[in-house]
Structures are given as C-alpha cells and as structure tokens.
C-alpha cells in the first residue's frame, strides 16, 4: 500500500479533493448559493483576502525557485507558513491562547507573591532585614536559572513537554512552601518554585508563535502579553482579600502555624495548575516535530488544527490538502538514536543526559555565531536595560511611597517631657510617642499595644507590664527598678543602655507576632493593582498597532517615552504624583515589552528560538536583581541616582532598538 503522505517533491497539496455528495454540505452553508457568497469588497475593487494570500504564496514560491541555494530549513519555513495560512486562525489558536496565557499569568503572579507575603512572613518567621532581602531576590534568582535551563531544553525535548515539567515543579514546590515553617525550607521551596516558573516565558512565546501565521503573529503575541498584567491584578486582588484576614488559617500547637498569608500562597498556584491541566489536551508544536524529523506526527497535528478551525467556522467539508512536508533529519537525533540502542538503562540515561547538556550548551554558543552575533548583542542590551529600569522602578515606587508616609507619620509624633505618672493603669494603646525624662511609679501596663513608642532617660519603679505586643518600641538610657514583665515581647535587646535593677522577665512571648495594623495596610496592594491595571491601555494599543507600525519603532519609541516619564519624577513630591507617574510609566513600558518579546521570537530560527528567549530572559532576571537591589538602597537617601540610572538605561536601550532589523513581514524561520 502506498504511503499517503509521500509526494515526489518537497511537500504538496492533493491535486483533487475527494468528491462530495450533494447533501454533504454543512448546515452553515445550506440555503446559500454562489451569488450570495460574493465578496462585498468586490464592488469597490478591493481584492479578496484569499486572493491576496494566494498572490503572496505565489511570490514566495517564485522566490524559492529563483533562490537555487535555499537550504532545507529555509524551504521548510516557507512551506510551514503556507500550511499555517491554510489552517487559518480560529478555535484551536484561541484555546491554546487561553492555556498558555494562564502559564504566563502564573509567571506574573510569581513576581508578586513574595512582596505581598513578606510583611506577614517576616513576623511569622522572625526574619531579619538580611533574610527579607534574600527572600525578595531568591524568586528572581530561581527564575533566572529556570529560564536558561528550560529554554535550552525546550529546543531539544519539545515545547509542550518542558512546559508541563516546569509548571509541575512550580505547583509542587509552591504548595510545599505554603506549609514550610522555617525560613530555610521556605527559601529553598520558593527557589525551586521560581526555577519551575522561569521556563514559562521562553517556552510560551516560542510555542504559541509556531501556531500563528505571519500576518497574525505580532498582534496575537501582544494579546498574549496581557496575561502577565492579569497575573499582577489577580495577585493584588487576592492578597487584599485574603492576607488581612488573619483568622483564615489553623494551628497545631505552637510548632505549626498556617496563617492567612499561607492561604494566599496556595491560591497563587491556581493559574499554573489550570494551565497544567489545559496542556494535557494540547499537542506538541508541529514546527518542533518537523525540525526533529517527526513528519507523520506533525502532519496529524496540523490536520487537527486545520479541521478544528474550519469546523468551528461552519465549513467541515474543507479538506486538509497537504500530502507531504519535507523534514530534515539532524545529526543530533542520529547520535541519540545510536546511543539509545546500546548499554543498560542507566548507561543510556547517562548518555542521553550528557548528550542533552552538550547540545543545549552548543545551541547557546551558536547564538554568538557569525549570523546571530549582532542580533544577540543588540537584544541582550535591550532586555537588560529595559528590565533594569522596569523592575528597579517597580520596587522604588512603592518603597518611596512608604518612605513619604513614614515621614508624614513621624511628623505627627507626640512628645511628652518630664511627665510624672503614679499609680496609674494604662489600658489603652500607645502609638507614635516619645517620652523623655519621665517618672512612672507603681504603674500598670496591661493588655495593650505599643507602636513606635520610645522612652528616653526615664524612670520605671515598681511597675507591672503584662500581655504587651509592641512594634518599633525601645527603652533608651532608662532606669528600671523592681519591675515585672509578664508575657510580653519586650525582650532585653529592646532596652538600650538601660539600668535594670531587681527586674524580672516572666513567660516572654515566643517567636514573632503579627502587627494587625501593618497587615491591614492596603497600600502595597493598591499600588501594585494600579500599576498592573495601567498596563491595559498600552497593551491594547501595542497589539493593535504592532503590525501597522512595526516592532522596532514600537520598542524604540516606547523606551524613549518611558525615559521621559522617569525624568519627570524629579517634579514629584507627593504620594499621588508618584502613583500617577508609576501608572504612566507602566502603561508606556508595556508596549516596549510586547515589542521585545515579539521580535525575540522572530529573530531566531526554530532550533534556537526557545534557547535564545531563555538566555535573554535569564539576563532580564539578572537585571531585575541588580535593579531592585540598587534602587531600593537609595530610598530615603536621594531620588536623583535612581531617576538618572533608569533614564540613561532606557535611552540607551531605545536607541539600540532602532538598529534592529524589522521582522514584521518575515517568515518564522
């Protein structure tokens, strides 16, 4: 029996479609004749879109004939574009869009999780400033490693397979981190969770782009970017709805505590879990399969895409006419096949793993080859400068707002000088107060909260403290005589240069305790929510104009306008002004991000696409680590350095972007 896929040359279409019976027409076309189907633009002299595509296809075919030296991979790229045009854009792409969008949403959520839980986690796990800083950076470190590893593996093992593994690792370790009681375990689980989710960005864009035809690619990849914004909104909204409810949890004695912020960590894993379930029903990228000489499997997937789309459009009778696709066989595949037929199972596993590592590193090195060296250098500069400014200012904006709030709070401090209080029962909370040279004789402080209270050069004699919860409360150069501290968190380190005479500490509170006022502070959620929401207009505009204006102009102009936004921060002296400029900056910069991600997909061939995206995304996360560390160190010191750094980086990146080749009408290689 003859192979139905074979044809004499390259790939082909069936010369004649199978005859159909008269009553085989679909219900969607029943009752319509040829005259009813006349194209409306025909009266205006506008060519039918199918005619335009046919002309473009004929031009590409003629160019292939004229270009005698075209390689097999170049021919495959042309052929694949023709097939995707025949498959059309419809139900299949939109289904994949949702599934991959959820994976991208999970990446966006991951960037916000630690920032939202940190105020609670630092009290729950007694974190020092150094430990808080490490926890904030560990996610980016994990995502950096994950982007490099999963991007390289996706070009060798498959987009779908690697994305499933990456999301599985993220889900499992995010779940474990919510139950981790110690700082070490929580840090480790968040690191591995970050390594897992780090693979989503490089794989998602490579995967989705290989199901899109040329004239749809820029727009729909830009729409896909919107899910990252949705992730930020989802994280902000759920954090505001869950974390302040401290009672949403349970405890098992004093050793195991599961507070509301841990519930939030679990809820944040839902997008990744949903995407993981959806991926079980999605096929592998046929372009990847063709690059790896798996012709029959790729043909079946393309046929399914074609039939799914045309059935949804009411034309189930339309036949997939492709009969053969030329799929080159690579030397790497032959090497793996030879090794897989020898030795024991363990030896074969070791050989395959070693071979995979060598091939991934070889692919990474090829990005600096003669053909791709300049593009890789330009893209590295653009990714780094954009990420350095975006993530650096992403930390600086809320930290600067907090600093302004703290300044305003401290300006309202109440100062009590040389007060004498004797035989008094303090049964009300003390907040934002300074007591100097006071005398407290035979007083009781019972069941109260003390926030931002400082006692200087004061005397406490025959006093009694019980059930005290304190925040930023210290005693400096005080004399404390015959005083009892029972069930308080006023540890001895809170007493600076104090003289303790006949003073007793009984049943001190163990561990750290949440400050309810700080937990209910919605500023951090509001700022993140507004920043994420402000991305929406920029996302819509960039998606609509990506094909009209071009990737290069969108990237360059957006980065230069973003630089202008940062420069105007010199004129911002209030919280409202900073929030307004943050929203404007986020709204403009997202257009640059969309263009960067689209052009990264289009600049590299299929065999290196995910690898290149992974390397550049890893560089992005390195820039994020540097940006957040540097910018945060200048909060409360000066705003000149962060503004000048971000402005300079964006201008440099924008100018370099204008040197990139335009890929708007380039077939995906």
């Amino acid at each position: 029996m003859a192979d139905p896929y074979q044809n004499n040359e390259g790939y082909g279409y069936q010369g004649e479609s199978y005859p159909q019976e008269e009553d085989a027409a679909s219900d969607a076309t029943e009752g319509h004749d040829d005259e009813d189907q006349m194209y409306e633009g025909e009266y205006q002299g506008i060519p039918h879109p199918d005619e335009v595509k046919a002309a473009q296809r004929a031009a590409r075919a003629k160019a292939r004939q004229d270009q005698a030296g075209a390689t097999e991979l170049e021919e495959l790229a042309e052929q694949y574009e023709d097939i995707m045009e025949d498959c059309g854009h419809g139900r299949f792409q939109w289904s994949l869009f949702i599934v991959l969008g959820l994976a991208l949403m999970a990446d966006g959520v991951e960037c916000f999780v630690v920032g939202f839980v940190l105020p609670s986690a630092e009290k729950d796990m007694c974190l020092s400033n150094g430990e808080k800083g490490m926890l904030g950076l560990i996610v980016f470190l994990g995502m950096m490693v994950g982007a490099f590893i999963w991007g390289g593996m996706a070009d060798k093992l498959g987009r779908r397979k690697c994305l499933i593994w990456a999301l599985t690792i993220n889900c499992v370790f995010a779940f474990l981190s919510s139950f981790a009681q110690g700082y070490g375990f929580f840090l480790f689980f968040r690191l591995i969770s970050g390594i897992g989710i780090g693979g989503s960005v490089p794989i998602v864009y490579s995967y989705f782009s290989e199901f899109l035809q040329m004239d749809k690619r820029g727009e729909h990849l830009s729409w896909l970017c919107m899910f990252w914004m949705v992730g930020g909104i989802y994280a902000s909204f759920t954090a505001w709805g869950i974390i302040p409810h401290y009672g949403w949890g349970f405890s098992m004695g004093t050793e195991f505590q599961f507070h509301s912020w841990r519930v939030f960590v679990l809820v944040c894993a839902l997008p990744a879990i949903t995407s993981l379930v959806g991926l079980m029903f999605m096929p592998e990228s046929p372009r990847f399969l063709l690059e790896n000489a798996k012709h029959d499997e790729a043909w079946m997937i393309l046929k399914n895409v074609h039939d799914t789309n045309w059935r949804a459009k009411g034309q189930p009778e339309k036949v997939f006419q492709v009969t053969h696709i030329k799929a080159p066989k690579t030397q790497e595949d032959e090497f793996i096949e030879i090794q897989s037929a020898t030795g024991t199972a363990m030896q074969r596993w070791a050989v395959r793993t070693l071979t995979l590592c060598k091939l991934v590193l070889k692919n990474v090195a090829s990005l600096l080859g003669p053909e791709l060296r300049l593009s890789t250098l330009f893209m590295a500069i653009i990714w780094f400068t954009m990420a350095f400014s975006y993530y650096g200012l992403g930390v600086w904006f809320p930290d600067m707002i907090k600093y302004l709030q703290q300044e305003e709070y401290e300006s309202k401090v109440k100062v009590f000088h040389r007060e004498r209080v004797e035989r008094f029962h303090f049964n009300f909370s003390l907040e934002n107060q300074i007591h100097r040279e006071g005398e407290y004789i035979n007083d009781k402080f019972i069941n109260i909260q003390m926030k931002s209270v400082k006692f200087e050069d004061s005397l406490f004699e025959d006093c009694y403290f019980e059930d005290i919860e304190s925040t930023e409360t210290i005693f400096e150069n005080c004399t404390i005589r015959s005083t009892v501290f029972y069930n308080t968190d006023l540890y001895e380190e809170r007493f600076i240069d104090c003289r303790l005479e006949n003073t007793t500490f009984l049943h001190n509170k163990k561990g750290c305790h949440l400050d309810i006022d700080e937990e209910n502070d919605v500023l951090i959620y509001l700022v993140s929510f507004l920043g994420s929401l402000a991305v929406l207009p920029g996302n819509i505009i960039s998606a609509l104009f990506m094909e009209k204006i071009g990737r290069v102009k969108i990237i360059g102009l957006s980065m230069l306008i973003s630089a202008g936004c940062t420069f105007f921060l010199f004129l911002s002296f209030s919280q409202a002004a900073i929030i307004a400029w943050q929203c404007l900056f986020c709204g403009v910069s997202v257009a640059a991000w969309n263009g960067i991600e689209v052009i990264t997909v289009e600049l590299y061939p299929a065999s290196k696409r995910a690898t290149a995206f992974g390397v550049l995304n890893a560089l992005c996360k390195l820039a994020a680590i540097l940006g957040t560390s540097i910018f945060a160190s200048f909060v409360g010191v000066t705003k000149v350095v962060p503004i000048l750094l971000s402005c300079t980086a964006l201008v440099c990146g924008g100018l370099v972007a204008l040197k990139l080749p335009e890929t708007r009408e380039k077939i995906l290689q």
Side-chain angles (χ1 to χ4, degrees), residues 358-391:
K358 289 180 178 178
L359 294 178
V360 169
L361 293 177
K362 181 181 177 182
N363 225 16
V364 172
S366 70
L367 300 178
L368 298 176
E371 295 180 356
L372 298 173
R373 184 183 302 139
L374 195 59
S375 295
T376 301
L377 176 62
F378 284 173
M379 291 306 302
I381 294 172
I382 295 167
W383 274 90
F384 186 90
T385 53
M386 187 67 205
F388 179 80
S389 302
Y390 183 83
Y391 288 102

Side-chain angles (χ1 to χ4, degrees), residues 210-498:
E210 292 168 353
F211 284 97
L212 297 172
Q213 59 201 64
M214 182 173 61
D215 60 343
K216 301 285 187 182
R217 198 167 56 231
E219 178 184 350
H220 288 274
L221 285 174
S222 298
W223 290 126
L224 187 67
C225 297
M226 192 176 294
F227 277 92
W228 202 90
M229 171 206 71
V230 175
I233 293 176
Y234 173 83
S236 305
F237 186 76
T238 53
W240 174 76
I242 294 175
I243 294 179
H245 298 281
Y246 186 63
W248 289 15
F250 61 90
S251 61
M252 299 174 63
T254 58
E255 299 299 323
F256 186 87
Q257 304 286 333
F258 195 88
H259 295 140
S260 56
W261 68 268
R262 298 180 183 274
V263 178
F264 167 70
V265 172
L266 282 179
V267 172
C268 283
L270 290 180
I273 294 172
T274 310
S275 178
L276 189 58
V277 173
L279 279 171
M280 299 301 174
F281 302 94
M282 292 294 134
E284 181 55 84
S285 164
R287 182 60 186 272
F288 167 79
L289 295 173
L290 291 170
E291 293 280 338
N292 290 271
K294 297 179 180 178
H295 171 277
D296 292 357
E297 190 176 345
W299 187 90
M300 291 300 296
I301 292 171
L302 288 168
K303 182 180 184 302
N304 179 57
V305 173
H306 176 278
D307 294 347
T308 300
N309 286 342
W310 288 109
R311 275 199 305 268
K313 294 177 181 178
Q315 301 182 47
E317 70 282 354
K318 193 158 186 174
V319 178
F320 185 59
Q321 297 181 347
V322 176
T323 58
H324 179 70
I325 310 173
K326 184 182 291 184
K329 189 172 180 63
T330 62
Q331 292 181 349
E332 291 108 345
D333 298 321
E334 293 170 354
F335 178 74
I336 293 175
E337 287 171 8
I338 292 170
Q339 296 296 345
S340 64
T342 61
T344 64
M346 182 60 69
Q347 289 174 331
R348 291 197 298 270
W349 178 84
V351 169
R352 285 182 181 135
T353 303
L354 182 61
T355 302
L356 177 63
C357 293
K358 289 180 178 178
L359 294 178
V360 169
L361 293 177
K362 181 181 177 182
N363 225 16
V364 172
S366 70
L367 300 178
L368 298 176
E371 295 180 356
L372 298 173
R373 184 183 302 139
L374 195 59
S375 295
T376 301
L377 176 62
F378 284 173
M379 291 306 302
I381 294 172
I382 295 167
W383 274 90
F384 186 90
T385 53
M386 187 67 205
F388 179 80
S389 302
Y390 183 83
Y391 288 102
L393 288 175
V395 169
W396 186 82
F397 281 125
D399 283 359
M400 193 64 190
I401 293 171
K402 285 182 181 178
Y403 174 75
L404 292 176
Q405 279 198 331
Q406 184 64 25
E407 276 193 332
E408 182 181 357
Y409 181 78
E410 291 176 355
S411 68
K412 298 178 180 178
V413 65
K414 297 178 181 179
V415 180
F416 299 86
H417 191 67
R418 291 186 177 180
E419 63 177 352
R420 179 181 175 87
V421 182
E422 191 171 353
R423 298 183 184 278
F424 186 78
H425 184 182
F426 289 86
N427 57 1
F428 49 88
S429 296
L430 307 179
E431 180 178 356
N432 199 21
Q433 299 177 2
I434 297 177
H435 299 261
R436 295 193 178 106
E437 300 180 12
E439 294 183 3
Y440 304 91
I441 312 297
N442 227 343
D443 295 325
K444 294 182 179 181
F445 301 79
I446 299 178
N447 194 25
I448 65 172
Q449 292 183 350
M450 306 174 85
K451 181 179 180 181
S452 299
V453 179
K454 185 177 182 181
F455 294 93
E456 296 178 355
D457 303 311
S458 298
L459 170 66
F460 292 84
E461 188 169 352
D462 293 323
C463 293
Y464 182 75
F465 292 78
E466 181 178 351
D467 293 330
I468 305 296
E469 291 186 3
S470 63
T471 301
E472 299 177 358
T473 296
I474 60 172
F475 297 76
E476 185 174 345
N477 198 28
C478 295
T479 300
I480 303 174
R481 298 181 188 143
S482 304
T483 297
V484 176
F485 294 87
Y486 183 86
N487 191 31
T488 72
D489 58 5
L490 298 173
Y491 309 116
E492 293 191 20
E493 55 267 25
R494 299 285 188 93
F495 300 87
I496 302 171
D497 297 329
C498 293

